[in-house]
Amino acid sequence: MYQQFWSKYIPVIKILLKRTAVGDQILDLNRVDFEHAGMTRKAGYRFDIELVNGRVSNHIGGMPLAAELAAILLEDPAVQILLTEHDFVISLNTRYQLNIKRTRATT
């Protein structure tokens, strides 16, 4: 359902995942894209995806927007390599900002 929404941002998200080596990254998403995808919420959207050892380690099943992003990322070969080397937290806040943080290098 949200695959088309996230497909616009995936190339940039992959670059930002790599750039977390120098610090946390923020991607400002376009609120209008949410509206065009039929997603309207006055308070905005919020989620956290914890990616540990190449897998989602927290429960995001009740959040289709987060689940779709996680699924797309886990299917991408370049992202899979990054996820085997590092753990990440990807968060969306109510200001439509996607925060990408590298939590640790895996061993």
Side-chain angles (χ1 to χ4, degrees), residues 56-73:
V56 175
S57 68
N58 62 326
H59 179 69
I60 57 172
M63 297 174 273
L65 187 63
E68 187 69 32
L69 174 58
I72 291 170
L73 290 172

Side-chain angles (χ1 to χ4, degrees), residues 22-103:
V22 295
D24 297 352
Q25 302 294 309
I26 296 175
L27 174 61
D28 290 315
L29 303 176
N30 188 343
R31 180 185 54 82
V32 176
D33 288 340
F34 284 83
E35 294 169 359
H36 285 292
M39 300 176 279
T40 56
R41 205 184 257 190
K42 286 188 178 189
Y45 288 86
R46 187 181 183 317
F47 63 73
D48 295 308
I49 303 171
E50 297 172 9
L51 298 159
V52 177
N53 295 322
R55 297 176 161 195
V56 175
S57 68
N58 62 326
H59 179 69
I60 57 172
M63 297 174 273
L65 187 63
E68 187 69 32
L69 174 58
I72 291 170
L73 290 172
L74 293 172
E75 292 171 1
D76 187 281
V79 174
Q80 286 177 353
I81 292 169
L82 287 169
L83 295 179
T84 59
E85 297 171 350
H86 308 284
D87 296 341
F88 296 92
V89 174
I90 299 175
S91 304
L92 180 67
N93 64 30
T94 56
R95 294 179 309 238
Y96 303 98
Q97 292 177 318
L98 197 66
N99 298 288
I100 304 171
K101 178 180 181 180
R102 185 181 295 190
T103 55

